[in-house]
Amino acid sequence: MSDSLIICVSDYWQRCHYHNRPNPEAGDAWPKSKPLRRLCIHVDAINGNYYLREFLHQHVLAESLRRNHGVQLVWLQFEEPQKDIIDYRFADMLAHTIWERIEVEHLMSWLSTLGGGFSALGEQFERCAKTAGKISLQQLKIGLRLGDPFLQTRCKLYYSISLIQRGQLRMAKHLIREQYQFASKNIEKDVRLMRMCLGIWRRLSYEYEQRRLRKGGN
């Protein structure tokens, strides 16, 4: 780290943000015998971000400045641009992402309503329980696409209800345990999710008890 080119960005309020700064805990230290040789660049903030990226990622450029010119510290003094620039391409990408998220949330609400209806009918009809399970798997695919772990956990719990209704208690047991461990050990604990796990676990325990009674009667 001590041989790396140090980059300092000074913002509008003269606050300094360092990159490639030596780490004292790793044995690196700022040289105290003489000041660092600087290359000071005054640039507007828009172009300054491109400068910063080049200095950080173009190792050949950094090495050339350090070896051929003795530069140890590049000081980027950001200045306010004369006029703001609208990034229309990024705005279009952001608008598309937001629109897609809204549509996905709308789809999830419909699937939840539909899955709830089939799940209620699944208490009497196994075919409806299977359909509810398929809907839960579709919701899980959406949760994976959104990258929402809590949504994925809820979908897995919905699927575990379908498994219980179809008599696949062992598979449902392992699935519920995994989701409860995630909900309880995660940094952002979801109390409602934990209560949901406990409620489905009670339903699972009831089914196990009913199965035991039926075997005892036979």
Side-chain angles (χ1 to χ4, degrees):
M1 179 64 73
S2 58
D3 294 334
S4 300
L5 186 66
I6 303 169
I7 314 295
C8 176
V9 176
S10 179
D11 58 23
Y12 301 157
W13 300 274
Q14 307 300 318
R15 293 179 301 191
C16 296
H17 310 272
Y18 289 94
H19 301 267
N20 294 337
R21 187 172 186 173
N23 184 7
E25 296 181 358
D28 300 326
W30 292 93
K32 298 180 180 179
S33 58
K34 59 180 179 179
L36 297 175
R37 185 169 183 178
R38 299 185 179 186
L39 171 62
C40 296
I41 302 175
H42 291 261
V43 61
D44 64 84
I46 296 174
N47 291 316
N49 282 285
Y50 295 104
Y51 279 48
L52 175 62
R53 184 176 62 181
E54 292 300 315
F55 282 125
L56 291 177
H57 297 286
Q58 294 295 337
H59 300 292
V60 176
L61 173 62
E63 184 67 15
S64 176
L65 288 173
R66 194 175 63 85
R67 288 197 173 187
N68 300 332
H69 303 280
V71 176
Q72 298 169 290
L73 171 65
V74 174
W75 188 283
L76 294 176
Q77 179 63 56
F78 280 7
E79 299 176 351
E80 189 172 358
Q82 295 181 355
K83 61 179 181 179
D84 295 326
I85 298 177
I86 300 176
D87 191 341
Y88 289 100
R89 183 178 181 182
F90 177 76
D92 290 339
M93 293 172 58
L94 184 60
H96 177 77
T97 302
I98 295 175
W99 173 81
E100 185 181 44
R101 183 62 185 256
I102 293 174
E103 290 296 320
V104 168
E105 292 290 345
H106 187 244
L107 177 61
M108 284 292 293
S109 64
W110 276 104
L111 288 175
S112 296
T113 302
L114 190 62
F118 276 100
S119 181
L121 293 173
E123 298 294 331
Q124 301 294 329
F125 307 101
E126 184 178 356
R127 179 170 57 87
C128 294
K130 290 181 179 179
T131 303
K134 292 179 180 179
I135 294 174
S136 298
L137 292 178
Q138 291 298 322
Q139 290 178 295
L140 178 59
K141 290 181 180 179
I142 297 175
L144 292 170
R145 181 175 180 180
L146 295 176
D148 187 341
F150 292 98
L151 176 59
Q152 296 168 24
T153 300
R154 289 197 296 272
C155 294
K156 291 177 182 178
L157 289 174
Y158 296 152
Y159 185 68
S160 68
I161 296 175
S162 173
L163 293 175
I164 293 173
Q165 292 174 335
R166 289 180 281 162
Q168 301 179 25
L169 305 185
R170 183 182 297 273
M171 188 180 298
K173 177 177 65 176
H174 293 304
L175 193 58
I176 298 169
R177 281 178 175 173
E178 290 176 359
Q179 307 321 306
Y180 183 80
Q181 290 175 359
F182 167 79
S184 59
K185 293 183 179 179
N186 198 280
I187 298 177
E188 300 178 2
K189 288 187 177 180
D190 192 327
V191 178
R192 292 179 300 178
L193 197 59
M194 295 173 64
R195 290 174 178 172
M196 184 177 177
C197 292
L198 294 175
I200 299 175
W201 185 265
R202 293 191 182 96
R203 168 65 191 279
L204 177 66
S205 301
Y206 172 79
E207 291 297 332
Y208 266 118
E209 180 64 20
Q210 293 299 310
R211 177 178 292 184
R212 186 186 64 84
L213 293 175
R214 287 194 296 269
K215 288 184 177 180
N218 293 335

